[in-house]
Amino acid sequence: MSESNYSPAFNKPRLVIKKVLAKSQHEGVGAVVRRAIGRSELKNLDPFIMLDHFSVSPPGGFPDHPHRGFETVTYMLEGGITHKDFAGHEGTIRSGDVQWMTAGRGIIHSEMPAEATNNGLQLWINLSANNKMIEPNYQEVVSEKIPSAEEDGVEVRVIAGEAMGVHSPVYTTTPTMFLDFSMKPGSQFHQNTPESWNTFVYVIEGEGVFGSLNSSPNMAHHVLVLSNGDGLSIWNNSSKGLRFVLIGGQPLNEPVVQYGPFVMNTQHEIEKTIEDYHYSKNGFEMGKYLRSQ
């Protein structure tokens, strides 16, 4: 492959090394998700545990369910989700809004549809051993407060990290970037990335060429795992718009033991978490009240 196929913008351009189609499956009550990360073909990508492209309509949803040991990022693409937890925190995030929830030592919450049609992305980010038992926390940013920029037919919304000189106000316990790109036909863009971070693309709609100019286009609902490097080049050579998220994170390089919504470092910690949840202790004290309603 000639050098002209690569972007001169980077010393070590990122290339697509794995491609997985996110197939539909049922989750929660009446919800359908396309699971991009967290399936047999791509169990996890340190520090990422799961990525779902979800769709849910009333009366379905995600009733009371617990979390421990990681963060969830819910980014609404259409409609809205009403959330409520056992500590009394509740609200609705709507199209373009983001909720960055640090479950830490324990959260039990519900996520229910707020409109007739609701879809979005939910990303699970692992926490290091030192942070797994921190106090839960929420960061919510409404759509109009999410930083954005545009140049040469390319628009980016900066959920976390930096792009086009624009920075997100979101604090990421595990260092993370989360960028939502929309590219017009004929446009191209070159995005810098921390070289050692694990990074992937999820194509929301359209089709694009990622990494090298002569590679095959990748279409909607595919997750593309990228090689390490200092940046990614993207071309939209199609006649339609392209929308994708570019997500990267600093690897934790720690053991991962997962039991459903509990993500810890050892089997013993998982067993302790199940006990804590069952007996409503060590972070789950309020759980008995929420579940009794």
Side-chain angles (χ1 to χ4, degrees), residues 174-196:
T174 299
T176 305
M177 77 172 178
F178 190 133
L179 308 174
D180 174 10
F181 282 98
S182 297
M183 299 179 60
K184 294 180 179 178
S187 63
Q188 61 176 284
F189 193 70
H190 310 282
Q191 173 63 38
N192 292 316
T193 62
E195 186 170 334
S196 64

Side-chain angles (χ1 to χ4, degrees), residues 43 121 139 182:
K43 188 171 182 180
L121 302 176
Q139 299 175 82
S182 297

